[in-house]
Amino acid sequence: MTDQPPSGEPIARRAYSAFADRYAALAPTKPHNGLYERPATMALLGEVRDLHVLDAGCGPGIYSEALAREGATVHGFDITPEMIDLARRRCDGLAATFRTGDLARPLAWLQDGAFDKVVCALALDYMEDLAAVFREFRRVTRPDGTLVFSMAHPMADWTNEKIRGDGVYFERTRYGLHWTGFGEPHPYVEAYRRPLSETLNALSDAGWTFDRLVEPQPLPEMRQVSERIFDRLSRAPEFICVRARR
C-alpha cells in the first residue's frame, strides 16, 4: 500500500517538494483548507497580538502570514526547503522568520519556553512518533502556553477503504495516495493513520493538558464554491483540531 521513499528521506519532504508551488497557490482558498480546517484552527488559537508563536510544519507560510498580520511575532519551520522559500516570500516585510527543520528531530535551535503559542496545522500525520514531537513542543512553550494542532480525523481515514486497506483500526499504519486536488501530475503523498487514543495519549504523556477538540464544519461560503464538498463535510468531519495547555 506504500511506495517506499529512499532511505532516510522524510515522507513529507519527498511529497511536498514535488508540488510546493501548486500547494502554495491553491491552499489559501482551497475549500478543505480556507473554508474548513484553517478557520477552526485559527479560532482555537485565539488572540495572538504581541505574542510569540511557533508555526511548526509551516509549509508555504499561510498561517504565518495570517498570524503576523494579527500582530504576532512568528517563527516558522518546515522540512521542505521549497516551502521555506515560499514562506519567506509570502511573509516578506512581516514579523516572521523561517528556517528548515524536522519535526521528527529535537528542535535544538529553539530555547526553552520561547513561545506563547504553538500551531501545527496538518503536519502531524507525517510523524510516526507523536510523543517525541509533543515533548519538544512543550519544552519550547512557556508555562500556561497553548498548543493547537490539526490532523486527519481518525474515523475519516478508517472509513476510507483506500487508506484502511486490510489494516486494524487500533494499529498505526502507513499508507500512500495520489492527491487529485492540486493539479497534475498528481503527487503521491504518504502519511500515518492512527487511532484517536494514540494521539490524545501521546499528548497527555508529553505533559500537556487537553483542553478542547473540534470536529470542524464547513463555513457557509463553501456551498457557493462546491456544494458537493460542503454537503459531505456537513455530514461527517475529515479533520480534527485540538487545543492543549502547558
Side-chain angles (χ1 to χ4, degrees):
M1 196 159 63
T2 62
D3 178 13
Q4 295 289 336
S7 177
E9 184 177 13
I11 57 178
R13 182 167 63 202
R14 182 188 186 214
Y16 282 94
S17 62
F19 72 114
D21 288 333
R22 284 183 280 153
Y23 183 91
L26 294 172
T29 57
K30 195 171 184 293
H32 277 82
N33 301 95
L35 299 174
Y36 182 60
E37 178 272 327
R38 195 177 310 121
T41 298
M42 290 291 286
L44 285 179
L45 269 174
E47 177 62 49
V48 297
R49 183 168 298 279
D50 299 325
L51 300 183
H52 288 81
V53 180
L54 177 65
D55 187 357
C58 65
I62 298 167
Y63 271 94
S64 294
E65 179 188 19
L67 295 167
R69 292 193 184 282
E70 291 188 7
T73 299
V74 182
H75 177 79
F77 72 92
D78 197 274
I79 191 65
T80 308
E82 292 86 350
M83 289 293 195
I84 293 300
D85 291 341
L86 290 163
R88 286 172 176 155
R89 293 202 292 270
R90 182 183 298 276
C91 297
D92 185 38
L94 299 176
T97 59
F98 302 94
R99 61 159 289 166
T100 56
D102 188 350
L103 275 170
R105 298 179 180 276
L107 310 179
W109 71 94
L110 299 177
Q111 295 182 349
D112 295 0
F115 298 97
D116 301 289
K117 299 188 179 189
V118 175
V119 60
C120 185
L122 303 181
L124 293 176
D125 295 300
Y126 308 110
M127 296 296 104
E128 185 170 11
D129 180 4
L130 291 183
V133 181
F134 288 147
R135 285 194 297 270
E136 276 297 273
F137 285 169
R138 189 176 188 276
R139 180 185 66 79
V140 303
T141 305
R142 66 164 176 79
D144 299 321
T146 303
L147 166 65
V148 174
F149 64 89
S150 58
M151 59 194 306
H153 196 294
M155 288 309 298
D157 278 357
W158 179 247
T159 57
N160 185 328
E161 186 176 358
K162 292 181 180 179
I163 295 175
R164 181 181 70 242
D166 58 358
V168 175
Y169 172 79
F170 301 101
E171 298 175 356
R172 183 194 320 128
T173 57
R174 198 170 94 187
Y175 68 92
L177 294 174
H178 284 95
W179 284 9
T180 59
F182 291 93
E184 296 184 353
H186 296 157
Y188 184 77
V189 181
E190 290 185 288
Y192 290 95
R193 188 212 60 78
R194 71 191 86 226
L196 179 61
S197 58
E198 179 179 313
T199 298
L200 296 185
N201 288 338
L203 188 68
S204 177
D205 290 346
W208 291 96
T209 299
F210 169 78
D211 182 44
R212 192 164 186 82
L213 184 148
V214 172
E215 296 171 299
Q217 295 194 30
L219 297 186
E221 303 93 284
M222 189 190 290
R223 187 187 293 274
Q224 305 303 316
V225 178
S226 174
E227 188 163 354
R228 176 182 58 84
I229 298 176
F230 176 86
D231 288 344
R232 187 175 77 238
L233 294 177
S234 296
R235 290 195 303 271
E238 294 187 8
F239 295 130
I240 57 171
C241 305
V242 177
R243 183 171 64 206
R245 308 284 186 184
R246 190 185 187 290

